[in-house]
Amino acid sequence: MNQYVTGAVIKELREKNKLTQFQLAEKLGVSDKTISKWETGKGYPDITLLEPIAEAFRISVTELISGNTIHNANVSANMLRSKFYVCPVCGNVIHSMGEAAINCHGILLAPLEAEPTDENHMVFIERLEDEYYVRIDHSMTKNHYISFVAAVSSNAMQMVKLYPEGNAEGHFKIRGVKRIYFYCNHDGLFSIDPVKGIDDRESGYDDSKERSKLEKAAGMLLGN
Ligand SMILES: [Fe+2]
């Protein structure tokens, strides 16, 4: 990782902590001119100062260097706050119960923001006994495919990994599932409330009723 603490990060953290350049300087035993130099990119703090700086801002040295401060009050409280990270180089998928600074292939991954489903990423959800059968209407070619589907409840996460040339579908235990996520390698993360997925024709819907109606009509026509 060729990253070091930047002036912008120091300034942001100092202001967030309501410290003047002078107050921070006093804490670190340097001059306020030195702080000003760091903040304007005219110099870097010596490596021996990283720990005292992190301490002054009440964060870890890793957070200081990555410029990515993490505030997790109670990580295990609710899985619905889950974050997904995908490495753009290798496609590695990481699930986190809260914020995290995650590196893969030397890249600091950002938590994915889920978009509502659109006409190119429609979801069909059916209830099959105690399971949701989730199918995404999408290509599964090597270049453009759905790489995972996940179902999240307040205390569980079920994930199905998908591969090109496979089917864009998964089965999930219904128990408490509040949100379905899926990831397209081109278009990013999408999410939908499974109830909406069943009832809303704009985002996708349960086609099992319609199918059984059609089957019945066909049966009548054929005299069965
Ligand atoms: Fe897509």
Side-chain angles (χ1 to χ4, degrees):
M1 206 167 50
N2 52 355
Q3 220 173 335
Y4 198 68
V5 61
T6 64
V9 167
I10 292 177
K11 185 164 190 232
E12 191 191 317
L13 288 167
R14 180 177 61 72
E15 286 172 351
K16 220 195 240 167
N17 283 272
K18 296 191 170 54
L19 291 171
T20 62
Q21 288 188 338
F22 186 78
Q23 286 168 324
L24 179 62
E26 270 207 322
K27 274 180 187 260
L28 303 175
V30 299
S31 73
D32 52 345
K33 215 173 141 196
T34 305
I35 306 282
S36 163
K37 268 190 193 165
W38 297 343
E39 292 188 357
T40 51
K42 287 176 190 135
Y44 283 114
D46 185 81
I47 195 155
T48 57
L49 285 170
L50 290 189
E51 241 180 85
I53 293 172
E55 228 166 76
F57 298 144
R58 283 164 298 182
I59 58 172
S60 67
V61 172
T62 313
E63 285 170 272
L64 180 67
I65 290 176
S66 69
N68 197 333
T69 53
I70 296 156
H71 302 282
N72 285 326
N74 186 357
V75 163
S76 56
N78 196 341
M79 296 280 281
L80 290 169
R81 293 198 201 111
S82 287
K83 307 258 183 252
F84 294 94
Y85 300 77
V86 175
C87 173
V89 176
C90 67
N92 189 6
V93 180
I94 299 117
H95 166 256
S96 164
M97 291 196 285
E99 282 187 36
I102 294 164
N103 278 274
C104 192
H105 280 88
I107 301 162
L108 178 66
L109 304 181
L112 300 171
E113 286 221 14
E115 302 286 333
T117 53
D118 60 29
E119 69 273 16
N120 296 319
H121 300 87
M122 291 248 280
V123 190
F124 296 86
I125 303 171
E126 279 179 40
R127 287 191 191 94
L128 300 175
E129 294 176 9
D130 63 340
E131 283 186 337
Y132 280 131
Y133 165 63
V134 178
R135 177 172 65 80
I136 296 114
D137 195 6
H138 194 277
S139 71
M140 288 297 276
T141 62
K142 247 191 198 157
N143 290 327
H144 191 180
Y145 68 102
I146 302 299
S147 79
F148 72 84
V149 189
V152 180
S153 67
S154 60
N155 63 358
M157 201 276 291
Q158 308 168 62
M159 185 188 281
V160 174
K161 184 79 186 80
L162 303 176
Y163 299 93
E165 315 302 339
N167 293 330
E169 61 182 22
H171 289 263
F172 304 96
K173 292 272 172 239
I174 288 178
R175 278 186 69 173
V177 167
K178 289 260 165 37
R179 207 157 299 142
I180 305 277
Y181 290 91
F182 63 91
Y183 182 77
C184 162
N185 73 322
H186 273 197
D187 306 301
L189 189 68
F190 294 87
S191 77
I192 192 167
D193 164 347
V195 175
K196 190 166 151 57
I198 287 172
D199 297 331
D200 183 353
R201 279 173 170 272
E202 277 182 18
S203 50
Y205 60 98
D206 179 354
D207 50 4
S208 55
K209 256 190 217 150
E210 190 164 326
R211 223 176 35 224
S212 77
K213 235 194 257 166
L214 286 172
E215 278 165 9
K216 235 190 230 161
M220 266 157 67
L221 277 172
L222 297 170
N224 294 328

